[in-house]
Amino acid sequence: MLLNKIEKKLGLYIHIPFCLKKCNYCDFLSFSNISNQKIQEYVKYLCEEIKIYSEYSYDTIYFGGGTPSLLNPKLIEKILLEIKNWKIAKEITIEINPGTISIKELEALKEIGINRLSIGIQSFDPTTLEVLGRIHTREKSLELYHSAREVGFKNISLDLMFATPGQTKEELENDLKEIFKLNPEHFSIYSLSWEKGTPFYKKLLAGELSETDEELESEMFEMIILKAKENGYTQYEVSNFSKKGYESEHNKKYWKNSEYVGVGVGASGYLNGVRYKNSEIIEEYYKKLDLLELPMFEEEIQNEKTIKEYYYMMGLRLLEEGVIPYVEDEEKFEKMREQGFLNKKNKNYTLTKKGLFLANDVIIELL
Ligand SMILES: C[S@@+](CC[C@H](N)C(=O)[O-])C[C@H]1O[C@@H](n2cnc3c(N)ncnc32)[C@H](O)[C@@H]1O
Ligand code: SF4
């Protein structure tokens, strides 16, 4: 891919592919049992890759994983220093896991300029945490949240899941109560997805675990939406809720189909009309960078059709803004509106409550 300088501000996603231990449900690209030396080596290559994109400016930066909080704050700073003009970024987020970071390290992150935390809570319920294979207790999650506040973080998101094996509505309600008691600026809550190759999936095939009944999952989702609203949160995206003015600016770039740079092993990006994915094999990723090449293994040049598909697919997830249909699709959108799946406000179509519960089906119908 040729890199052209573009003036507009981009998002930068930085993938940190290390975890202390893999969770039972997760198929994100991350490696466990990694030495400090290997982490340092990875950061060195990350910096090399960032240099290749040195022409670009970013207004949002996102350290995701994996577990970025496994990196010493000095390494986070080293990465940031590699980014030209990084101080102009208005939102710099880091995902942190309870049990991987001390209050001193939180202070250091704040000092460096990180201004948004996304804390991987998943659940506050001790049994669920154990089933999920998380390394932390509910107490560690609470301790981390309060430490982050003590240190002065003013933009905190909590990351949870629901419809986990055996979870009841009461357990979900308790999780929601805990969120509202803590009063973060933002939270996301995704229903469990059963990913091939994970211990959960194997247990599902062996009949040792079962998926949550669809009706129960819908009732749970409805409860989340209702309780979030009662507690002053706007559901601005299907699974993301925020207080006024605290939407995730970085993630909104994905939903709005804006271009962004992704760096790190397995990271995806969208730049100059090309969607790309970096190699998922760490040795290959290093090898390409040693040759001063972009470490991509997949590139998809966007055309009118794919641009439109991504726009509908991602844009309809934004519940307040939605999408403006292309002329040739207006009839299809109108039909879905008449059937009660879409609302129309000015030129924009958004999912109705009925459409929200069948979001994937509605989107497929429109493609
Ligand atoms: C890949 S993790 C990275 C953040 C951090 N390592 C953590 O675990 O908290 C980002 C989020 O993806 C979500 N996630 C991962 N696997 C999932 C799955 N199979 N189904 C639903 N959500 C999942 C979790 O909510 C998690 O917080
Ligand atoms: S959920 Fe987070 S901590 Fe668990 S394996 Fe996935 S990336 Fe690592």
Side-chain angles (χ1 to χ4, degrees):
M1 180 169 63
L2 286 175
L3 300 182
N4 303 314
K5 184 172 161 63
I6 30 182
E7 292 305 331
K8 62 182 179 257
K9 301 278 184 310
L10 299 169
L12 174 65
Y13 174 79
I14 302 168
H15 191 66
I16 308 296
F18 309 118
C19 290
L20 279 184
K21 170 187 163 291
K22 284 299 286 184
C23 302
N24 293 333
Y25 53 88
C26 179
D27 78 338
F28 280 68
L29 183 66
S30 72
F31 311 99
S32 46
N33 291 325
I34 296 287
S35 67
N36 274 337
Q37 196 191 345
K38 290 269 177 219
I39 292 181
Q40 299 216 7
E41 184 183 24
Y42 181 75
V43 168
K44 179 181 107 94
Y45 279 98
L46 257 186
C47 291
E48 292 302 320
E49 190 185 4
I50 288 170
K51 264 188 217 147
I52 303 181
Y53 296 99
S54 64
E55 308 243 7
Y56 299 93
S57 294
Y58 309 101
D59 63 351
T60 63
I61 300 174
Y62 192 104
F63 289 88
T67 308
S69 50
L70 283 180
L71 261 58
N72 183 304
K74 283 207 161 50
L75 290 178
I76 298 286
E77 188 174 25
K78 184 176 157 76
I79 297 167
L80 284 172
L81 289 174
E82 212 55 68
I83 306 163
K84 208 174 67 188
N85 290 337
W86 70 272
K87 289 205 167 154
I88 61 166
K90 57 178 188 242
E91 184 187 277
I92 309 179
T93 307
I94 184 167
E95 290 179 346
I96 58 178
N97 282 30
T100 61
I101 185 159
S102 67
I103 190 155
K104 274 215 149 34
E105 287 168 320
L106 281 171
E107 264 168 22
L109 290 177
K110 177 89 186 15
E111 190 89 346
I112 293 167
I114 302 281
N115 58 16
R116 186 170 182 272
L117 300 179
S118 171
I119 306 181
I121 301 280
Q122 314 313 337
S123 171
F124 290 99
D125 181 67
T127 313
T128 307
L129 286 173
E130 216 174 298
V131 171
L132 296 176
R134 298 290 292 183
I135 57 160
H136 56 91
T137 58
R138 137 197 179 80
E139 288 71 27
K140 278 272 174 220
S141 300
L142 296 173
E143 189 187 306
L144 174 56
Y145 182 84
H146 294 304
S147 301
R149 286 296 193 210
E150 223 171 279
V151 163
F153 280 101
K154 297 203 163 42
N155 190 356
I156 300 183
S157 177
L158 304 184
D159 219 354
L160 280 91
M161 291 194 297
F162 75 102
T164 53
Q167 189 187 40
T168 62
K169 265 167 69 175
E170 290 67 35
E171 283 163 8
L172 172 63
E173 193 173 1
N174 287 337
D175 270 354
L176 293 170
K177 277 187 193 151
E178 295 275 9
I179 298 177
F180 304 133
K181 210 158 54 177
L182 294 176
N183 201 23
E185 283 68 32
H186 183 285
F187 69 94
S188 64
I189 182 159
Y190 287 87
S191 71
L192 174 75
S193 150
W194 296 79
E195 302 294 345
K196 278 194 187 126
T198 59
F200 265 15
Y201 198 78
K202 285 176 194 145
K203 287 196 172 174
L204 181 70
L205 294 183
E208 291 166 36
L209 287 178
S210 51
E211 289 185 58
T212 303
D213 170 76
E214 255 180 47
E215 207 175 301
L216 174 60
E217 191 176 327
S218 282
E219 286 170 15
M220 287 176 154
F221 190 36
E222 189 148 15
M223 182 202 286
I224 295 167
I225 296 170
L226 182 77
K227 302 269 176 201
K229 194 169 177 190
E230 281 173 7
N231 286 276
Y233 290 86
T234 302
Q235 185 186 17
Y236 69 102
E237 193 269 350
V238 178
S239 309
N240 284 266
F241 300 80
S242 83
K243 296 260 186 80
K244 202 167 184 299
Y246 286 97
E247 297 174 355
S248 163
E249 292 302 325
H250 182 83
N251 288 340
K252 265 197 336 197
K253 287 198 156 88
Y254 304 145
W255 299 315
K256 286 186 166 199
N257 242 358
S258 307
E259 297 205 328
Y260 67 100
V261 171
V263 294
V265 67
S268 310
Y270 177 29
L271 197 58
N272 300 322
V274 179
R275 288 195 180 271
Y276 67 86
K277 190 162 172 54
N278 278 352
S279 172
E280 294 191 342
I281 301 162
I282 215 155
E283 293 76 20
E284 247 179 58
Y285 171 78
Y286 291 169
K287 206 164 128 190
K288 288 250 183 159
L289 286 166
D290 279 335
L291 296 168
L292 300 178
E293 285 177 22
L294 286 168
M296 299 167 181
F297 87 103
E298 234 177 62
E299 289 181 61
E300 183 194 31
I301 300 171
Q302 298 299 287
N303 55 39
E304 252 180 63
K305 182 169 176 282
T306 53
I307 289 173
K308 187 171 86 175
E309 282 176 1
Y310 270 100
Y311 173 59
Y312 290 165
M313 218 159 51
M314 303 305 273
L316 278 169
R317 295 189 64 92
L318 285 172
L319 301 181
E320 314 239 287
E321 290 153 70
V323 298
I324 301 174
Y326 285 52
V327 180
E328 67 267 25
D329 298 324
E330 277 172 358
E331 223 172 278
K332 261 196 282 185
F333 273 74
E334 262 309 288
K335 214 156 136 199
M336 296 298 273
R337 188 186 66 77
E338 283 161 16
Q339 290 169 7
F341 295 109
L342 296 174
N343 275 324
K344 188 179 181 192
K345 198 171 161 198
N346 302 322
K347 286 181 174 171
N348 294 54
Y349 284 79
T350 51
L351 289 169
T352 57
K353 192 168 171 210
K354 180 173 158 190
L356 174 61
F357 281 77
L358 294 165
N360 290 341
D361 299 323
V362 173
I363 291 167
I364 288 168
E365 197 64 32
L366 293 168
L367 293 181

